[in-house]
Amino acid sequence: MGMSEFYGAGDEEESIATIHRALDLGITLLDTADMYGPFTNEQLVGRALAGRRAQVVLATKFGNERAPDGTRIGVNGRPEYVRSACDASLGRLGVDHIDLYYQHRVDPDTPIEETVGAMAELVAAGKVRHLGLSEAAPDTIRRAHAAHPITALQTEWSLWTRDPETNGVLDTVRQLGIGFVAYSPLGRGFLTGAIQKPEDLAEDDFRRHNPRFQGANFERNLELVERVKGIAAAKGVAASQLALAWVLAQGDDVVPIPGTKRRRYLEQNVAADGIVLSEDELRRIDEVLPPGASAGDRYGDMTPVYR
């Protein structure tokens, strides 16, 4: 996402080099969406995968409808839109199938059974291999899974967003055998410790308008990051690596998807896979960063999530 929008200016050459380096290091899951850019991130990923398609599980999403000029139209889960969005994504990515196709946000005006029914048609047509949901509530997940098996549920989960542990989402997907894909596992970069003041973010960075990056919330969350940095320092690893190691420690059914635009951060993230946290370290992390510790909502408008 950050390669094309939201996190300041992008650099296509470095972005493609970062994707290539990821593949060289053994990363097999690439996650994009039609609304990133909008539309341009799928094109970038498609260019990066030229000649290397077989190396990856390719995931993209539909549902956050935007106009070409970036205007947000709304959440759309209507069957006819599902079909047209998939065809458009296939064209931009330059592939004949999508391995994992997510509904990016749940449309409150379209029954989930209708949306998933259209997605299931894409599986039958060979355009999509597996289905996913993002930011869905437990009841929605169950209804969707009854209509067609859901392979993955993507939701924000990190040391500063532990909602899935307390709102029933994690329990639900585990009961149903659905994998969990944790987005923003680095707390939108906050858990790296690199962001010390709002001015560290580019003027056009959307995080400047995010509640957790503003005012007293920012200061409170900075205190939490200092705790993470202290535990990381004692272990001899970076704060970002500790944060990723924590997500990885939550189970073999959990896959974090940290985003980065640069090879040097990618390599640091990949190294977190080799970090093993002891029971005592996990207990210590829970003590200093329990669920609900972070200050501020995840988004300025929380209505599109957990439907």
Side-chain angles (χ1 to χ4, degrees):
M1 181 183 78
M3 291 176 173
S4 299
E5 196 181 11
F6 301 111
Y7 291 156
D11 178 336
E12 179 161 330
E13 183 178 350
E14 178 62 19
S15 293
I16 290 178
T18 299
I19 293 172
H20 288 168
R21 181 62 177 148
L23 301 182
D24 293 340
L25 290 171
I27 286 179
T28 56
L29 174 63
L30 295 186
D31 181 279
T32 182
D34 58 5
M35 65 91 69
Y36 301 158
F39 313 124
T40 55
N41 194 247
E42 287 184 325
Q43 294 168 340
L44 184 153
V45 170
R47 288 192 289 274
L49 287 183
R52 305 185 71 168
R53 172 67 178 92
Q55 291 181 245
V56 303
V57 172
L58 181 59
T60 192
K61 316 179 196 74
F62 74 91
N64 277 326
E65 190 177 5
R66 297 178 72 184
D69 66 359
T71 301
R72 296 175 184 272
I73 298 172
V75 177
N76 191 342
R78 294 190 297 275
E80 62 274 15
Y81 181 72
V82 175
R83 291 187 282 268
S84 64
C86 179
D87 286 342
S89 288
L90 287 169
R92 286 187 292 266
L93 289 162
V95 299
D96 63 4
H97 72 277
I98 295 162
D99 295 306
L100 177 56
Y101 199 40
Y102 288 101
Q103 182 182 22
H104 206 161
R105 292 291 186 271
V106 176
D107 180 355
D109 298 321
T110 303
I112 192 66
E113 291 83 0
E114 292 185 15
T115 302
V116 173
M119 295 169 74
E121 292 174 8
L122 299 174
V123 175
K127 296 179 179 181
V128 169
R129 296 280 173 83
H130 303 280
L131 305 185
L133 302 176
S134 179
E135 296 284 3
D139 181 61
T140 302
I141 296 168
R142 292 184 183 280
R143 288 168 55 198
H145 192 66
H148 185 282
I150 300 299
T151 296
L153 183 284
Q154 182 175 146
T155 290
E156 186 173 355
W157 193 17
S158 70
L159 282 175
W160 84 334
T161 297
R162 299 186 61 176
D163 305 3
E165 301 168 59
T166 59
N167 64 10
V169 168
L170 186 60
D171 288 342
T172 298
V173 297
R174 284 185 163 157
Q175 289 165 9
L176 298 174
I178 298 170
F180 194 109
V181 177
Y183 79 78
S184 293
L186 297 177
R188 306 191 187 282
F190 208 98
L191 292 171
T192 66
I195 304 168
Q196 293 294 304
K197 55 186 184 300
E199 292 72 28
D200 290 336
L201 303 171
E203 288 288 343
D204 60 347
D205 193 311
F206 99 103
R207 290 172 292 185
R208 279 181 172 251
H209 307 288
N210 183 286
R212 291 188 175 179
F213 288 79
Q214 296 179 329
N217 289 343
F218 187 98
E219 297 304 320
R220 166 61 179 163
N221 292 328
L222 207 56
E223 294 175 9
L224 299 179
V225 172
E226 289 304 311
R227 299 177 189 177
V228 175
K229 289 168 68 175
I231 298 172
K235 195 168 180 64
V237 301
S240 59
Q241 292 176 320
L242 183 84
L244 283 175
W246 180 85
V247 177
L248 288 164
Q250 301 311 303
D252 292 339
D253 57 345
V254 179
V255 178
I257 48 170
T260 182
K261 300 187 284 187
R262 301 175 181 87
R263 281 169 284 181
R264 68 178 184 273
Y265 296 131
L266 166 78
E267 291 168 355
Q268 187 177 69
N269 289 345
V270 170
D273 189 42
I275 298 171
V276 177
L277 298 174
S278 68
E279 290 299 320
D280 284 343
E281 288 167 332
L282 289 169
R283 190 177 307 111
R284 174 62 178 153
I285 291 169
D286 272 341
E287 289 172 356
V288 303
L289 266 170
S294 301
D297 288 335
R298 294 197 286 134
Y299 294 95
D301 177 5
M302 289 289 284
T303 55
V305 300
Y306 293 131
R307 281 177 170 158

